[in-house]
Amino acid sequence: MKQGKVIIISGPSGSGKTTLYKKLLANWKEKKEIIKAVSVTTRPKRPGEKHGHDYFFVSQKMFQYKKRNGHFLETEKVFDNYYGTPKKSVQDSLKTGKNVLLCIDVKGARIVRRKFPKAVAVFIKTSSLKVLAARLKGRGSEKKDIMRMRLQTAQEELKEIKKYDHVIINDNLRTAHGRLEAIIRAELAKWTGNSL
């Protein structure tokens, strides 16, 4: 059995990467071929999020315990919260031929690509920082200092764009989703030798 492929969806906070990731999973017809990797985080739940589905929400103490014990494939501190990708679930899925979809930040993507050089990485961005700022403001959950930090981080993250296999400008969700779907299908077809 051919090992599965790691697919990374990444981009600045507010780019819509998580929305596209969820939409891709919800609409994907061959759901058994793509497994989502549920990240662990210390950040509080947002409205509508479910533990074990969107994230595994844990305390900082529990996160550090898991980190010390080699539980994570990669970890990152984003502002005041920690995020990590569980290593065992990713490895187990790949061994059984499942393709693993990761929705992670740019730093995490860099670490995962070092461990899985054949991973496909897709960078999601808005057409401008002005559009990104409007999105972050529209969330209504960002304080001004956090918004400023997110925009500064986004400027740094955009410098990594050349290291990605594909770039999608997400100014229209339907168009961006269609492009992402086409990219994933083409990449998996190349990997398996079958057309999806």
Side-chain angles (χ1 to χ4, degrees), residues 11-17 123-139 142 147-158 170-171:
S13 179
S15 63
K17 65 181 181 293
F123 193 96
I124 310 293
K125 67 185 284 289
T126 53
S127 55
S128 68
L129 284 172
K130 189 177 177 182
V131 172
L132 187 66
R135 283 224 191 128
L136 290 171
K137 191 175 181 182
R139 279 181 177 177
E142 310 285 351
M147 259 187 68
R148 193 166 45 249
M149 283 169 63
R150 287 194 190 279
L151 288 170
Q152 286 170 355
T153 301
Q155 286 179 308
E156 289 301 309
E157 290 174 331
L158 286 165
N170 181 22
D171 281 350

Side-chain angles (χ1 to χ4, degrees), residues 9 15-25 124 168 170 172-174 176-178 180:
I9 296 176
S15 63
K17 65 181 181 293
T18 305
T19 302
L20 282 168
Y21 164 81
K22 287 178 179 176
K23 197 167 175 59
L24 183 75
L25 286 168
I124 310 293
I168 295 175
N170 181 22
N172 178 287
L173 186 61
R174 181 180 287 182
H177 173 252
L180 179 60

Side-chain angles (χ1 to χ4, degrees), residues 30-85:
E30 295 80 19
K31 286 186 180 181
K32 291 181 181 176
E33 291 188 62
I34 294 182
I35 301 297
K36 77 174 187 172
V38 181
S39 297
V40 177
T41 186
T42 61
R43 80 154 169 76
K45 272 197 286 188
R46 288 178 184 154
E49 288 182 330
K50 293 179 185 174
H51 177 79
H53 178 75
D54 297 291
Y55 287 95
F56 291 106
F57 296 95
V58 300
S59 66
Q60 295 224 6
K61 187 176 179 181
M62 176 56 76
F63 190 96
Q64 295 303 332
Y65 170 80
K66 287 177 177 289
K67 186 177 177 180
R68 282 193 306 273
N69 286 278
H71 182 81
F72 299 117
L73 186 61
E74 57 82 33
T75 63
E76 283 302 326
K77 185 178 183 185
V78 182
F79 306 107
D80 290 327
N81 298 302
Y82 291 92
Y83 294 81
T85 303

Side-chain angles (χ1 to χ4, degrees), residues 3-4 22 24 45 52 65 70 79 89 95 109 115 118-119 123 127 136 138 159-160 163 165 167 172 177 179-180 191:
Q3 182 162 303
K22 287 178 179 176
L24 183 75
K45 272 197 286 188
Y65 170 80
F79 306 107
S89 63
K95 281 177 192 170
K115 294 177 181 178
K118 292 182 180 178
F123 193 96
S127 55
L136 290 171
K159 293 175 185 174
E160 297 277 315
K163 297 176 184 175
D165 303 299
V167 178
N172 178 287
H177 173 252
R179 177 123 193 267
L180 179 60
W191 182 246

